[in-house]
Amino acid sequence: MAAERFCEPLHWLTGAQRAEMERRFEEEYLTLARASWQRTAERAGGLRQEYEAAYRALRRRLLMAWLPACVLGIVGLALCLAQGTVAP
């Protein structure tokens, strides 16, 4: 346990003082750990939203590029078939 290791070199502490020091150390450690995990979770949520927005924007740009290309290809093929330049 980290609290015990922290208090180990403090030989002058009484048993009650050592227990109180360990309790306070543990309490502070857990508070800091929770805060750290909370910040990590919040940041992960923010990054997820940013990446999802970027993905949607890229998908929209790709669709806007491919859709006209497909339409032009179909129109070009239809014109070639209408003129008889491409064998069916």
Side-chain angles (χ1 to χ4, degrees):
M1 177 178 239
E4 291 173 358
R5 285 193 308 271
F6 177 77
C7 290
E8 190 174 317
L10 307 175
H11 301 291
W12 60 87
L13 293 176
T14 65
Q17 289 173 330
R18 182 179 302 274
E20 178 65 15
M21 179 74 79
E22 288 175 0
R23 186 191 65 75
R24 286 185 179 195
F25 179 92
E26 200 170 297
E27 183 180 303
E28 184 65 21
Y29 181 84
L30 290 175
T31 299
L32 291 172
R34 282 186 195 105
S36 176
W37 282 108
Q38 183 66 33
R39 284 191 305 272
T40 300
E42 289 170 1
R43 181 65 180 140
L47 286 174
R48 180 179 181 150
Q49 290 176 352
E50 289 177 33
Y51 284 125
E52 285 176 351
Y55 175 74
R56 282 191 301 272
L58 287 172
R59 190 174 56 194
R60 195 170 33 251
R61 285 175 52 199
L62 180 63
L63 180 64
M64 298 314 277
W66 276 100
L67 190 60
C70 290
V71 168
L72 285 175
I74 290 171
V75 169
L77 181 61
L79 289 174
C80 289
L81 287 174
Q83 293 176 358
T85 57
V86 176

